[in-house]
Amino acid sequence: MSRTARIERSTSESSVLVELDLDGSGRTQIDTTVPFYDHMLTALGKHSLMDLTVRASGDTHIDVHHTVEDTAIVLGQAFRQALGDKSGIRRFADATVPLDEALAHAVVDVSGRPYCVHEGEPAGQEFHLIGGHFTGSLTRHVLESFAFHAQICLHVRVLAGRDPHHVVEAQFKALARALRYAVEPDPRVVGIPSTKGAL
């Protein structure tokens, strides 16, 4: 069965379209009008092996916050929809990814219970303006918004890092790898991987 989704969401602040295929090859077409965010979502698709199309626009003349947040919301919704009943998946996964001096660890439980723990960024990371548009504080907001709407439990910890760009990118790549492994079919799993019988 195809594990794909297509979701559109429009508000007075933004318009977002997300299409994804969990069983893709990492092909991406990303345009959020926020260049650094485009770079991060491209990395997310590439390293998760999801085929990912994102088209977003919004009131970036005010701030990029609305467009970034709303894109994360729709991405989470699409991820959740594409998973279906989660039958046969591994469910749990983690990944530790370096980027030069930065090192990030992500742990995922595709549990149906949204939760996000985000720790370890260097002091002042949230105040950095990366690429001229993306404020460091948005990283946590993206992770929280995605986890909530995907209905996954997500822990992300930055273990080392100095360069603000590297610190964010290592987190997106670690998330990507953890998601890749968590949603992979496990040939030993029969049905839904939960003692409750539902996720």
Side-chain angles (χ1 to χ4, degrees):
M1 186 174 67
S2 174
R3 298 196 301 170
T4 62
R6 183 183 193 276
I7 294 184
E8 292 185 76
R9 179 179 188 266
S10 293
T11 71
S12 61
E13 297 172 341
S14 71
S15 179
V16 181
L17 164 68
V18 171
E19 297 177 342
L20 65 80
D21 181 350
L22 295 178
D23 301 307
S25 58
R27 291 175 299 178
T28 60
Q29 293 183 322
I30 312 293
D31 182 8
T32 67
T33 72
V34 183
F36 182 74
Y37 197 31
D38 290 353
H39 180 41
M40 295 302 99
L41 294 180
T42 299
L44 182 69
K46 178 69 173 179
H47 296 289
S48 66
L49 294 183
M50 289 188 293
D51 289 344
L52 182 61
T53 297
V54 178
R55 296 280 182 268
S57 59
D59 55 1
T60 54
H61 59 287
I62 297 172
D63 188 2
V64 303
H65 182 107
H66 296 147
T67 300
V68 169
E69 175 186 26
D70 292 350
T71 299
I73 288 171
V74 179
L75 182 60
Q77 291 171 337
F79 181 85
R80 178 185 172 197
Q81 183 181 102
L83 273 172
D85 68 0
K86 309 179 185 78
S87 181
I89 65 169
R90 298 187 187 280
R91 177 179 167 178
F92 302 99
D94 73 299
T96 304
V97 172
L99 177 55
D100 295 346
E101 87 299 339
L103 184 66
H105 184 221
V107 185
V108 169
D109 175 9
V110 184
S111 61
R113 297 184 309 277
Y115 206 90
C116 183
V117 176
H118 180 249
E119 299 176 332
E121 288 187 336
Q125 171 73 17
E126 67 270 29
F127 303 120
H128 282 284
L129 189 63
I130 306 168
H133 303 88
F134 190 95
T135 307
S137 61
L138 286 171
T139 306
R140 175 177 294 179
H141 199 41
V142 168
L143 296 174
E144 289 174 337
S145 298
F146 174 75
F148 183 84
H149 290 276
Q151 293 197 348
I152 64 172
C153 176
L154 172 64
H155 287 243
V156 177
R157 288 183 174 85
V158 177
L159 305 176
R162 180 184 64 253
D163 181 88
H165 182 139
H166 292 173
V167 168
V168 178
E169 188 168 347
Q171 292 177 75
F172 272 84
K173 288 179 175 177
L175 171 61
R177 295 292 287 192
L179 290 174
R180 171 183 170 181
Y181 299 138
V183 304
E184 275 184 344
D186 186 334
R188 298 178 64 195
V189 172
V190 177
I192 295 168
S194 171
T195 56
K196 297 188 296 294
L199 287 172

